[in-house]
Amino acid sequence: MVERTPMDPASENQFKRDLVTLIPHLRAFARTLCGDAAAADDLAQDTVMKAWDARSSYQMGTNMKAWTFMILRNQFYSEKRRSWRQTQLDQEAAERTLVAIDDPASPLALDELRQALIMLPSEQREALILVGAGGFAYEEAAEICGCAVGTVKSRVSRARRALQGILEEGAYDRDGLPAGDAMRSILSDAERLSGPR
Amino acid sequence: MGLMSNQPEKTKGPDLEEARLRQQAIGVKLRQMFDDVVNEPVPDEFLDILRRHDERAGGK
């Protein structure tokens, strides 16, 4: 390990405060990568630990959210490489998620979206989440994923099309719901959320 | 009522307009799904990680 100049106490405190405010976002990102909530929290906790240990390599004033998301993503893929081949893990995560999200209190449309999301290849899923939900610009998402901006753009657009296809065709199986029901419930939910007319 | 029944015909045609609406709806749900987790209370274990570091630093 490289010996680094330690942070001064004021910067360290600031770093810690900023890191704490990012924890909810790290948990949300981890949940979309792992699918299952317990594995996601383990991943997010590892990320907090790694970010803290690497604090002296963080440049104050740069985008700390992107920096921590990058650590989380690297951690996710290095664990994945260690344990299973990607396809196997995706399959297992999908199966665990299908069980885990069988929550009667959860709105139907959200369950269906989670199921559809877990069916996407992980590089499409992460790109769509970063840009579509995490509030990152394409450039930032490219930096987090270590790829070109154009690659992120095409992954996001492929992910959007694939999601819509899955939701419309009911490519998953949920209590024998007829195809197209998922998209219908998402549309009516979105209409309700967009406020009263 | 409903999104599908009373959409006026757009110059680009109803199919494109419909696709746009569907993408928009998916986007709304995606953000909702993400924000639901963001708004969950953070489990104590997370703060314990940083507290342990505090204690270690304070003991020096």
Side-chain angles (χ1 to χ4, degrees), chain A residues 16 31 52 164 168 189, chain B residues 22-23 29 40 53-54:
Chain A
K16 186 181 291 183
R31 189 86 58 96
W52 178 253
Q164 191 177 340
E168 280 167 359
D189 260 36
Chain B
R22 290 180 173 214
Q23 279 304 330
K29 298 307 287 185
E40 281 176 14
H53 282 285
D54 268 351

Side-chain angles (χ1 to χ4, degrees), chain A:
Chain A
M1 270 272 140
V2 189
E3 196 65 39
R4 295 193 188 90
T5 341
M7 263 182 171
D8 62 89
S11 307
E12 202 161 77
N13 277 328
Q14 184 62 48
F15 180 92
K16 186 181 291 183
R17 274 198 299 276
D18 292 346
L19 185 55
V20 168
T21 65
L22 288 172
I23 291 173
H25 301 269
L26 292 169
R27 291 184 72 229
F29 185 42
R31 189 86 58 96
T32 61
L33 287 181
C34 298
D36 127 328
D41 266 359
D42 285 347
L43 174 63
Q45 283 178 34
D46 284 351
T47 304
V48 171
M49 241 179 287
K50 279 195 181 316
W52 178 253
D53 289 342
R55 62 193 179 281
S56 52
S57 70
Y58 169 72
Q59 287 195 292
M60 290 305 239
T62 59
N63 189 337
M64 187 165 168
K65 189 177 173 191
W67 183 74
T68 53
F69 272 52
M70 203 185 316
I71 294 174
L72 187 146
R73 182 185 176 277
N74 289 344
Q75 179 72 10
F76 174 69
Y77 285 109
S78 71
E79 276 174 13
K80 221 166 142 166
R81 261 196 303 278
R82 265 205 301 278
S83 33
W84 293 285
R85 284 190 20 248
Q86 175 164 338
T87 48
Q88 287 170 327
L89 183 77
D90 278 350
Q91 187 54 38
E92 282 194 21
E95 280 161 11
R96 272 202 311 272
T97 303
L98 293 182
V99 177
I101 63 184
D102 190 18
D103 171 5
S106 173
L108 184 66
L110 267 189
D111 270 4
E112 283 160 345
L113 182 61
R114 284 195 190 98
Q115 290 182 18
L117 207 53
I118 208 80
M119 292 171 71
L120 299 181
S122 53
E123 75 270 8
Q124 286 183 26
R125 185 165 67 236
E126 67 185 6
L128 180 62
I129 290 293
L130 290 171
V131 170
F136 289 102
Y138 284 112
E139 290 73 15
E140 294 170 321
E143 202 182 322
I144 292 169
C145 300
C147 65
V149 178
T151 308
V152 173
K153 285 184 179 167
S154 86
R155 283 176 185 170
V156 169
S157 86
R158 267 182 290 151
R160 288 199 166 120
R161 275 199 306 274
L163 261 194
Q164 191 177 340
I166 294 167
L167 291 166
E168 280 167 359
E169 283 150 33
Y172 57 86
D173 188 24
R174 183 195 158 108
D175 308 332
L177 274 182
D181 260 26
M183 196 62 232
R184 254 197 300 282
S185 61
I186 282 173
L187 276 168
S188 68
D189 260 36
E191 190 179 24
R192 195 169 39 75
L193 284 172
S194 66
R197 295 276 125 172

